[in-house]
């Protein structure tokens, strides 16, 4: 299958994959939210994606080799989405986007605490997190001592929510 591109510029080609308003949000929810099923991606995102847009973007991400889809062994009518190496390698990009957003945009403490921890943890934390994602999505064993990065990010988020009295799980 031949795909026409506007140019061979790496920024242009990247924007052809991620330039819509939903693709990075879907990948964010899989990477940081651990959401692996269509219904989770549809109902647990604060941004409120519609089902037809979600289905379209998941198909595009599948076609681009950013995610894979397999039958869920626990439920005949469900599919499980998994990250590919291409998507896992976006963790540093997400860390930089989050750091930039924290500096320049009106973020909330609750929704920016994970970005803060990723920024403060730097490349060593990103590599550890990517190793954990490879274990969860690609089946490659990860070495770790203590709580996982995902557990640390979740705990920090829950701590802010508890302190601020927030109710909705994210």
């Amino acid at each position: 299958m031949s795909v026409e591109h506007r140019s061979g510029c790496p920024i242009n080609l990247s924007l052809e994959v991620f330039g819509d308003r939903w693709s990075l949000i879907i990948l964010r929810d899989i990477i940081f939210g651990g959401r692996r099923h269509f219904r989770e991606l549809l109902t647990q995102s604060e941004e409120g994606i519609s089902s037809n847009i979600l289905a379209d973007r998941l198909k595009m991400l599948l076609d681009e080799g950013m995610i894979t889809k397999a039958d869920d062994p626990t439920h005949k009518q469900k599919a499980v989405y998994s990250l590919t190496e291409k998507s896992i390698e976006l963790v540093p990009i997400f860390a930089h986007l989050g750091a930039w957003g924290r500096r320049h945009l009106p973020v909330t403490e609750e929704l920016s605490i994970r970005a803060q921890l990723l920024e403060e943890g730097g490349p060593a934390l990103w590599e550890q997190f990517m190793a954990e994602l490879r274990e969860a999505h690609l089946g490659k064993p990860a070495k770790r001592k203590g709580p996982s990065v995902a557990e640390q990010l979740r705990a920090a988020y829950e701590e802010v929510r508890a302190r601020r009295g927030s109710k909705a799980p994210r």
Side-chain angles (χ1 to χ4, degrees):
M1 178 172 138
S2 175
V3 176
E4 296 271 335
H5 299 288
R6 290 184 295 254
S7 77
C9 168
I11 294 172
N12 169 70
L13 292 170
S14 298
L15 286 173
E16 287 183 14
V17 175
F18 306 116
D20 67 88
R21 79 185 272 174
W22 294 108
S23 296
L24 286 176
I25 298 298
I26 293 166
L27 290 172
R28 176 207 65 190
D29 287 351
I30 296 171
I31 291 170
F32 297 101
R35 299 177 189 136
R36 311 263 318 251
H37 297 93
F38 186 90
R39 178 77 39 207
E40 293 171 330
L41 292 163
L42 182 65
T43 62
Q44 295 178 16
S45 180
E46 185 164 307
E47 291 80 14
I49 190 170
S50 66
S51 62
N52 62 322
I53 298 295
L54 176 58
D56 179 68
R57 293 316 185 276
L58 287 169
K59 182 183 180 327
M60 185 274 299
L61 291 169
L62 282 162
D63 291 346
E64 290 290 339
M66 302 301 295
I67 59 174
T68 60
K69 179 181 176 181
D71 291 335
D72 186 334
T74 66
H75 193 286
K76 290 181 184 180
Q77 296 177 340
K78 279 187 173 181
V80 176
Y81 293 96
S82 296
L83 301 169
T84 63
E85 183 64 27
K86 286 169 66 171
S87 291
I88 292 168
E89 289 179 7
L90 289 171
V91 166
I93 304 301
F94 276 110
H96 285 291
L97 278 172
W100 183 87
R102 286 184 61 246
R103 281 193 299 277
H104 300 290
L105 300 171
V107 301
T108 63
E109 180 186 15
E110 182 175 334
L111 295 176
S112 68
I113 187 65
R114 292 175 279 209
Q116 178 182 336
L117 294 177
L118 286 169
E119 182 179 9
E120 291 169 355
L125 187 69
W126 308 340
E127 286 298 327
Q128 183 182 347
F129 188 41
M130 289 189 296
E132 293 169 12
L133 290 169
R134 288 181 187 105
E135 181 175 37
H137 292 265
L138 305 176
K140 296 180 179 179
K143 298 176 195 168
R144 102 174 136 229
K145 298 174 187 169
S148 71
V149 174
E151 291 166 342
Q152 293 172 51
L153 296 175
R154 180 77 179 170
Y157 171 77
E158 293 297 336
E159 181 181 321
V160 172
R161 281 186 57 229
R163 186 168 23 95
R164 298 179 63 89
S166 300
K167 294 180 177 95
R170 291 276 164 228

Short mmCIF file of all heavy atoms in Angstrom, two decimals, residues 8-61:
data_model
loop_
_atom_site.label_atom_id
_atom_site.label_comp_id
_atom_site.label_asym_id
_atom_site.label_seq_id
_atom_site.Cartn_x
_atom_site.Cartn_y
_atom_site.Cartn_z
N GLY A 8 9.07 14.75 2.48
CA GLY A 8 9.86 13.80 3.25
C GLY A 8 10.44 14.40 4.51
O GLY A 8 11.26 13.77 5.18
N CYS A 9 10.00 15.59 4.89
CA CYS A 9 10.48 16.26 6.10
C CYS A 9 10.04 15.45 7.32
O CYS A 9 8.87 15.10 7.44
CB CYS A 9 9.91 17.67 6.17
SG CYS A 9 10.13 18.48 7.77
N PRO A 10 10.96 15.15 8.26
CA PRO A 10 10.57 14.35 9.42
C PRO A 10 9.50 14.99 10.28
O PRO A 10 8.66 14.29 10.86
CB PRO A 10 11.87 14.14 10.19
CG PRO A 10 12.84 15.11 9.64
CD PRO A 10 12.38 15.49 8.27
N ILE A 11 9.49 16.31 10.38
CA ILE A 11 8.45 16.99 11.17
C ILE A 11 7.11 16.84 10.46
O ILE A 11 6.10 16.50 11.07
CB ILE A 11 8.81 18.46 11.44
CG1 ILE A 11 10.05 18.52 12.35
CG2 ILE A 11 7.63 19.20 12.06
CD1 ILE A 11 10.63 19.89 12.54
N ASN A 12 7.08 17.07 9.15
CA ASN A 12 5.85 16.89 8.38
C ASN A 12 5.34 15.46 8.51
O ASN A 12 4.15 15.25 8.77
CB ASN A 12 6.07 17.22 6.90
CG ASN A 12 4.88 16.77 6.07
OD1 ASN A 12 3.81 17.34 6.16
ND2 ASN A 12 5.06 15.71 5.31
N LEU A 13 6.20 14.47 8.32
CA LEU A 13 5.77 13.08 8.38
C LEU A 13 5.24 12.73 9.77
O LEU A 13 4.25 12.01 9.90
CB LEU A 13 6.92 12.15 7.98
CG LEU A 13 7.33 12.24 6.51
CD1 LEU A 13 8.62 11.48 6.28
CD2 LEU A 13 6.22 11.75 5.60
N SER A 14 5.88 13.26 10.81
CA SER A 14 5.38 13.03 12.18
C SER A 14 4.01 13.65 12.37
O SER A 14 3.12 13.04 12.97
CB SER A 14 6.37 13.60 13.21
OG SER A 14 7.61 12.94 13.10
N LEU A 15 3.83 14.86 11.85
CA LEU A 15 2.53 15.52 11.98
C LEU A 15 1.45 14.81 11.19
O LEU A 15 0.28 14.83 11.56
CB LEU A 15 2.62 16.99 11.56
CG LEU A 15 3.32 17.89 12.56
CD1 LEU A 15 3.50 19.28 12.00
CD2 LEU A 15 2.56 17.93 13.88
N GLU A 16 1.83 14.13 10.10
CA GLU A 16 0.84 13.35 9.37
C GLU A 16 0.32 12.19 10.22
O GLU A 16 -0.82 11.77 10.06
CB GLU A 16 1.43 12.84 8.04
CG GLU A 16 1.56 13.96 7.02
CD GLU A 16 2.07 13.48 5.67
OE1 GLU A 16 2.07 12.27 5.39
OE2 GLU A 16 2.46 14.35 4.87
N VAL A 17 1.13 11.70 11.16
CA VAL A 17 0.69 10.65 12.08
C VAL A 17 -0.02 11.24 13.29
O VAL A 17 -1.05 10.76 13.71
CB VAL A 17 1.88 9.77 12.54
CG1 VAL A 17 1.44 8.76 13.59
CG2 VAL A 17 2.53 9.08 11.36
N PHE A 18 0.53 12.31 13.86
CA PHE A 18 0.03 12.83 15.14
C PHE A 18 -0.62 14.21 15.06
O PHE A 18 -0.95 14.78 16.08
CB PHE A 18 1.19 12.96 16.15
CG PHE A 18 1.95 11.69 16.32
CD1 PHE A 18 3.27 11.62 15.96
CD2 PHE A 18 1.34 10.57 16.83
CE1 PHE A 18 3.98 10.45 16.12
CE2 PHE A 18 2.02 9.39 16.98
CZ PHE A 18 3.35 9.33 16.62
N GLY A 19 -0.84 14.73 13.87
CA GLY A 19 -1.30 16.10 13.73
C GLY A 19 -2.77 16.34 14.01
O GLY A 19 -3.19 17.48 14.05
N ASP A 20 -3.56 15.30 14.21
CA ASP A 20 -4.96 15.53 14.54
C ASP A 20 -5.09 15.74 16.04
O ASP A 20 -4.15 15.53 16.79
CB ASP A 20 -5.83 14.34 14.08
CG ASP A 20 -5.53 13.09 14.87
OD1 ASP A 20 -6.16 12.90 15.93
OD2 ASP A 20 -4.67 12.30 14.44
N ARG A 21 -6.26 16.12 16.48
CA ARG A 21 -6.40 16.47 17.90
C ARG A 21 -6.56 15.28 18.82
O ARG A 21 -6.58 15.45 20.03
CB ARG A 21 -7.52 17.48 18.09
CG ARG A 21 -8.91 16.93 18.07
CD ARG A 21 -9.94 18.00 18.16
NE ARG A 21 -10.23 18.32 19.55
CZ ARG A 21 -11.02 19.30 19.93
NH1 ARG A 21 -11.57 20.09 19.06
NH2 ARG A 21 -11.26 19.51 21.20
N TRP A 22 -6.64 14.03 18.31
CA TRP A 22 -6.93 12.90 19.18
C TRP A 22 -5.84 11.84 19.28
O TRP A 22 -5.76 11.14 20.29
CB TRP A 22 -8.23 12.21 18.74
CG TRP A 22 -9.41 13.10 18.93
CD1 TRP A 22 -10.14 13.73 17.97
CD2 TRP A 22 -9.98 13.51 20.18
NE1 TRP A 22 -11.13 14.49 18.54
CE2 TRP A 22 -11.05 14.36 19.91
CE3 TRP A 22 -9.68 13.22 21.51
CZ2 TRP A 22 -11.83 14.94 20.90
CZ3 TRP A 22 -10.46 13.79 22.51
CH2 TRP A 22 -11.52 14.64 22.20
N SER A 23 -5.01 11.67 18.28
CA SER A 23 -4.07 10.54 18.27
C SER A 23 -3.14 10.53 19.48
O SER A 23 -2.96 9.49 20.12
CB SER A 23 -3.25 10.54 16.98
OG SER A 23 -4.11 10.33 15.88
N LEU A 24 -2.55 11.67 19.81
CA LEU A 24 -1.65 11.71 20.97
C LEU A 24 -2.42 11.52 22.28
O LEU A 24 -1.89 10.95 23.23
CB LEU A 24 -0.84 13.00 21.00
CG LEU A 24 0.28 13.08 19.97
CD1 LEU A 24 0.96 14.45 20.03
CD2 LEU A 24 1.31 11.97 20.16
N ILE A 25 -3.66 11.98 22.33
CA ILE A 25 -4.48 11.79 23.53
C ILE A 25 -4.76 10.29 23.74
O ILE A 25 -4.67 9.78 24.86
CB ILE A 25 -5.80 12.59 23.45
CG1 ILE A 25 -5.53 14.08 23.37
CG2 ILE A 25 -6.74 12.24 24.61
CD1 ILE A 25 -4.81 14.68 24.55
N ILE A 26 -5.07 9.59 22.66
CA ILE A 26 -5.31 8.14 22.76
C ILE A 26 -4.05 7.44 23.22
O ILE A 26 -4.09 6.61 24.15
CB ILE A 26 -5.81 7.59 21.41
CG1 ILE A 26 -7.20 8.14 21.10
CG2 ILE A 26 -5.80 6.06 21.41
CD1 ILE A 26 -7.65 7.94 19.65
N LEU A 27 -2.91 7.78 22.62
CA LEU A 27 -1.65 7.17 23.04
C LEU A 27 -1.32 7.53 24.49
O LEU A 27 -0.86 6.69 25.26
CB LEU A 27 -0.52 7.56 22.10
CG LEU A 27 -0.61 6.96 20.70
CD1 LEU A 27 0.44 7.57 19.78
CD2 LEU A 27 -0.48 5.44 20.75
N ARG A 28 -1.59 8.77 24.88
CA ARG A 28 -1.38 9.19 26.27
C ARG A 28 -2.18 8.31 27.22
O ARG A 28 -1.67 7.83 28.24
CB ARG A 28 -1.80 10.66 26.45
CG ARG A 28 -1.72 11.15 27.89
CD ARG A 28 -2.67 12.27 28.20
NE ARG A 28 -4.08 11.86 28.11
CZ ARG A 28 -5.10 12.71 28.15
NH1 ARG A 28 -4.90 14.00 28.26
NH2 ARG A 28 -6.34 12.27 28.08
N ASP A 29 -3.45 8.06 26.86
CA ASP A 29 -4.31 7.27 27.74
C ASP A 29 -3.86 5.81 27.82
O ASP A 29 -4.02 5.18 28.87
CB ASP A 29 -5.76 7.36 27.28
CG ASP A 29 -6.39 8.72 27.58
OD1 ASP A 29 -5.75 9.53 28.30
OD2 ASP A 29 -7.50 8.97 27.09
N ILE A 30 -3.30 5.28 26.75
CA ILE A 30 -2.77 3.92 26.80
C ILE A 30 -1.48 3.90 27.60
O ILE A 30 -1.29 3.04 28.47
CB ILE A 30 -2.55 3.36 25.37
CG1 ILE A 30 -3.88 3.24 24.62
CG2 ILE A 30 -1.86 1.99 25.44
CD1 ILE A 30 -3.75 2.89 23.14
N ILE A 31 -0.59 4.86 27.34
CA ILE A 31 0.72 4.89 28.01
C ILE A 31 0.58 5.20 29.50
O ILE A 31 1.08 4.47 30.34
CB ILE A 31 1.65 5.91 27.33
CG1 ILE A 31 2.04 5.42 25.93
CG2 ILE A 31 2.91 6.18 28.18
CD1 ILE A 31 2.78 6.45 25.08
N PHE A 32 -0.08 6.28 29.83
CA PHE A 32 -0.11 6.76 31.21
C PHE A 32 -1.34 6.29 31.99
O PHE A 32 -1.30 6.23 33.21
CB PHE A 32 -0.01 8.28 31.26
CG PHE A 32 1.28 8.80 30.71
CD1 PHE A 32 1.34 9.33 29.44
CD2 PHE A 32 2.45 8.72 31.46
CE1 PHE A 32 2.54 9.80 28.92
CE2 PHE A 32 3.65 9.17 30.94
CZ PHE A 32 3.70 9.71 29.67
N GLY A 33 -2.41 5.97 31.29
CA GLY A 33 -3.64 5.55 31.97
C GLY A 33 -3.84 4.05 31.99
O GLY A 33 -4.77 3.58 32.63
N GLY A 34 -3.00 3.33 31.27
CA GLY A 34 -3.14 1.88 31.23
C GLY A 34 -4.43 1.42 30.59
O GLY A 34 -4.89 0.31 30.82
N ARG A 35 -5.04 2.26 29.78
CA ARG A 35 -6.31 1.91 29.13
C ARG A 35 -6.01 1.08 27.89
O ARG A 35 -5.29 1.54 27.01
CB ARG A 35 -7.09 3.17 28.79
CG ARG A 35 -7.40 3.93 30.07
CD ARG A 35 -8.11 5.24 29.83
NE ARG A 35 -8.14 5.95 31.10
CZ ARG A 35 -7.88 7.22 31.24
NH1 ARG A 35 -7.59 7.95 30.18
NH2 ARG A 35 -7.91 7.79 32.42
N ARG A 36 -6.58 -0.10 27.82
CA ARG A 36 -6.26 -1.02 26.73
C ARG A 36 -7.48 -1.47 25.93
O ARG A 36 -7.34 -2.17 24.95
CB ARG A 36 -5.56 -2.27 27.30
CG ARG A 36 -4.42 -2.02 28.25
CD ARG A 36 -3.04 -2.06 27.71
NE ARG A 36 -2.67 -3.06 26.77
CZ ARG A 36 -1.86 -4.09 27.02
NH1 ARG A 36 -1.38 -4.27 28.23
NH2 ARG A 36 -1.53 -4.92 26.06
N HIS A 37 -8.68 -1.07 26.37
CA HIS A 37 -9.92 -1.48 25.70
C HIS A 37 -10.65 -0.25 25.15
O HIS A 37 -10.54 0.85 25.70
CB HIS A 37 -10.86 -2.21 26.67
CG HIS A 37 -10.28 -3.48 27.19
ND1 HIS A 37 -9.59 -3.55 28.37
CD2 HIS A 37 -10.29 -4.74 26.68
CE1 HIS A 37 -9.19 -4.79 28.57
NE2 HIS A 37 -9.61 -5.54 27.56
N PHE A 38 -11.39 -0.46 24.08
CA PHE A 38 -12.14 0.62 23.44
C PHE A 38 -13.01 1.37 24.44
O PHE A 38 -12.97 2.60 24.50
CB PHE A 38 -13.01 0.03 22.31
CG PHE A 38 -13.72 1.07 21.50
CD1 PHE A 38 -13.12 1.60 20.37
CD2 PHE A 38 -14.99 1.52 21.85
CE1 PHE A 38 -13.77 2.56 19.60
CE2 PHE A 38 -15.64 2.49 21.10
CZ PHE A 38 -15.03 3.01 19.98
N ARG A 39 -13.78 0.66 25.23
CA ARG A 39 -14.70 1.29 26.19
C ARG A 39 -13.94 2.16 27.20
O ARG A 39 -14.40 3.24 27.56
CB ARG A 39 -15.55 0.22 26.88
CG ARG A 39 -16.51 0.72 27.93
CD ARG A 39 -17.78 1.36 27.46
NE ARG A 39 -18.41 0.77 26.32
CZ ARG A 39 -19.19 1.44 25.46
NH1 ARG A 39 -19.44 2.72 25.67
NH2 ARG A 39 -19.73 0.86 24.43
N GLU A 40 -12.80 1.68 27.68
CA GLU A 40 -11.99 2.49 28.61
C GLU A 40 -11.51 3.77 27.94
O GLU A 40 -11.58 4.85 28.54
CB GLU A 40 -10.75 1.70 29.07
CG GLU A 40 -11.04 0.51 29.93
CD GLU A 40 -9.81 -0.34 30.17
OE1 GLU A 40 -8.89 -0.39 29.32
OE2 GLU A 40 -9.76 -0.96 31.24
N LEU A 41 -11.05 3.66 26.71
CA LEU A 41 -10.57 4.84 25.98
C LEU A 41 -11.71 5.82 25.72
O LEU A 41 -11.52 7.03 25.75
CB LEU A 41 -9.91 4.43 24.67
CG LEU A 41 -8.59 3.67 24.84
CD1 LEU A 41 -8.21 2.95 23.55
CD2 LEU A 41 -7.48 4.62 25.28
N LEU A 42 -12.89 5.28 25.49
CA LEU A 42 -14.06 6.11 25.20
C LEU A 42 -14.58 6.84 26.44
O LEU A 42 -14.89 8.02 26.39
CB LEU A 42 -15.17 5.24 24.60
CG LEU A 42 -16.45 5.95 24.18
CD1 LEU A 42 -16.17 6.91 23.03
CD2 LEU A 42 -17.51 4.93 23.79
N THR A 43 -14.66 6.14 27.55
CA THR A 43 -15.37 6.69 28.72
C THR A 43 -14.47 7.29 29.79
O THR A 43 -14.95 8.05 30.63
CB THR A 43 -16.24 5.61 29.39
OG1 THR A 43 -15.41 4.56 29.86
CG2 THR A 43 -17.29 5.08 28.42
N GLN A 44 -13.18 6.98 29.80
CA GLN A 44 -12.33 7.42 30.89
C GLN A 44 -11.39 8.57 30.52
O GLN A 44 -10.48 8.89 31.28
CB GLN A 44 -11.54 6.25 31.45
CG GLN A 44 -12.43 5.20 32.08
CD GLN A 44 -11.66 4.00 32.59
OE1 GLN A 44 -10.46 4.05 32.75
NE2 GLN A 44 -12.37 2.92 32.85
N SER A 45 -11.60 9.18 29.40
CA SER A 45 -10.77 10.32 29.01
C SER A 45 -11.52 11.61 29.31
O SER A 45 -12.68 11.76 28.94
CB SER A 45 -10.44 10.24 27.51
OG SER A 45 -9.65 11.34 27.13
N GLU A 46 -10.85 12.51 29.95
CA GLU A 46 -11.47 13.78 30.32
C GLU A 46 -11.89 14.61 29.11
O GLU A 46 -12.81 15.41 29.17
CB GLU A 46 -10.48 14.59 31.18
CG GLU A 46 -11.06 15.87 31.70
CD GLU A 46 -10.24 16.45 32.82
OE1 GLU A 46 -9.96 15.73 33.78
OE2 GLU A 46 -9.88 17.62 32.71
N GLU A 47 -11.22 14.38 27.98
CA GLU A 47 -11.48 15.20 26.79
C GLU A 47 -12.75 14.83 26.04
O GLU A 47 -13.23 15.60 25.23
CB GLU A 47 -10.28 15.12 25.83
CG GLU A 47 -9.04 15.82 26.36
CD GLU A 47 -8.25 14.99 27.37
OE1 GLU A 47 -8.49 13.77 27.49
OE2 GLU A 47 -7.39 15.57 28.04
N GLY A 48 -13.33 13.65 26.29
CA GLY A 48 -14.62 13.29 25.73
C GLY A 48 -14.65 13.00 24.24
O GLY A 48 -15.42 13.61 23.50
N ILE A 49 -13.86 12.07 23.78
CA ILE A 49 -13.84 11.69 22.37
C ILE A 49 -15.13 10.94 22.01
O ILE A 49 -15.68 10.21 22.83
CB ILE A 49 -12.59 10.83 22.07
CG1 ILE A 49 -12.40 10.62 20.56
CG2 ILE A 49 -12.66 9.50 22.81
CD1 ILE A 49 -11.07 10.01 20.20
N SER A 50 -15.61 11.13 20.79
CA SER A 50 -16.80 10.39 20.33
C SER A 50 -16.38 9.02 19.83
O SER A 50 -15.23 8.81 19.43
CB SER A 50 -17.52 11.17 19.22
OG SER A 50 -16.71 11.22 18.07
N SER A 51 -17.30 8.08 19.84
CA SER A 51 -16.97 6.70 19.49
C SER A 51 -16.52 6.56 18.04
O SER A 51 -15.60 5.79 17.75
CB SER A 51 -18.15 5.77 19.79
OG SER A 51 -19.26 6.13 19.01
N ASN A 52 -17.12 7.31 17.12
CA ASN A 52 -16.71 7.18 15.72
C ASN A 52 -15.31 7.75 15.50
O ASN A 52 -14.52 7.19 14.73
CB ASN A 52 -17.74 7.82 14.78
CG ASN A 52 -17.92 9.30 15.01
OD1 ASN A 52 -17.90 9.79 16.14
ND2 ASN A 52 -18.11 10.04 13.93
N ILE A 53 -14.97 8.84 16.17
CA ILE A 53 -13.63 9.41 16.06
C ILE A 53 -12.61 8.46 16.69
O ILE A 53 -11.53 8.21 16.13
CB ILE A 53 -13.55 10.81 16.71
CG1 ILE A 53 -14.48 11.79 16.00
CG2 ILE A 53 -12.12 11.32 16.73
CD1 ILE A 53 -14.11 12.10 14.57
N LEU A 54 -12.94 7.90 17.86
CA LEU A 54 -12.05 6.95 18.51
C LEU A 54 -11.78 5.76 17.60
O LEU A 54 -10.63 5.35 17.41
CB LEU A 54 -12.62 6.49 19.85
CG LEU A 54 -11.82 5.42 20.60
CD1 LEU A 54 -10.40 5.88 20.89
CD2 LEU A 54 -12.54 5.03 21.87
N ALA A 55 -12.83 5.19 17.02
CA ALA A 55 -12.66 4.04 16.12
C ALA A 55 -11.77 4.41 14.93
O ALA A 55 -10.87 3.64 14.55
CB ALA A 55 -14.02 3.55 15.64
N ASP A 56 -11.99 5.59 14.37
CA ASP A 56 -11.18 6.05 13.23
C ASP A 56 -9.71 6.21 13.62
O ASP A 56 -8.81 5.78 12.89
CB ASP A 56 -11.75 7.36 12.70
CG ASP A 56 -10.95 7.89 11.54
OD1 ASP A 56 -10.98 7.26 10.46
OD2 ASP A 56 -10.27 8.94 11.71
N ARG A 57 -9.45 6.84 14.76
CA ARG A 57 -8.06 7.08 15.18
C ARG A 57 -7.37 5.78 15.56
O ARG A 57 -6.19 5.60 15.29
CB ARG A 57 -7.99 8.08 16.33
CG ARG A 57 -8.41 9.49 15.98
CD ARG A 57 -7.86 9.98 14.63
NE ARG A 57 -8.19 11.36 14.38
CZ ARG A 57 -9.34 11.78 13.86
NH1 ARG A 57 -10.29 10.93 13.54
NH2 ARG A 57 -9.55 13.05 13.64
N LEU A 58 -8.09 4.86 16.21
CA LEU A 58 -7.49 3.56 16.53
C LEU A 58 -7.10 2.84 15.26
O LEU A 58 -6.02 2.25 15.17
CB LEU A 58 -8.44 2.72 17.38
CG LEU A 58 -8.61 3.16 18.83
CD1 LEU A 58 -9.76 2.42 19.49
CD2 LEU A 58 -7.32 2.98 19.62
N LYS A 59 -7.96 2.89 14.24
CA LYS A 59 -7.63 2.25 12.96
C LYS A 59 -6.39 2.89 12.35
O LYS A 59 -5.49 2.20 11.85
CB LYS A 59 -8.81 2.34 12.00
CG LYS A 59 -8.54 1.65 10.67
CD LYS A 59 -9.68 1.80 9.70
CE LYS A 59 -9.43 1.14 8.36
NZ LYS A 59 -8.08 1.09 7.87
N MET A 60 -6.31 4.22 12.37
CA MET A 60 -5.15 4.91 11.82
C MET A 60 -3.88 4.54 12.59
O MET A 60 -2.84 4.27 11.99
CB MET A 60 -5.39 6.43 11.87
CG MET A 60 -4.29 7.26 11.20
SD MET A 60 -2.85 7.67 12.22
CE MET A 60 -3.58 8.62 13.51
N LEU A 61 -3.97 4.49 13.92
CA LEU A 61 -2.80 4.12 14.73
C LEU A 61 -2.38 2.67 14.47
O LEU A 61 -1.19 2.35 14.45
CB LEU A 61 -3.08 4.36 16.22
CG LEU A 61 -3.20 5.83 16.63
CD1 LEU A 61 -3.75 5.95 18.05
CD2 LEU A 61 -1.87 6.54 16.51
#
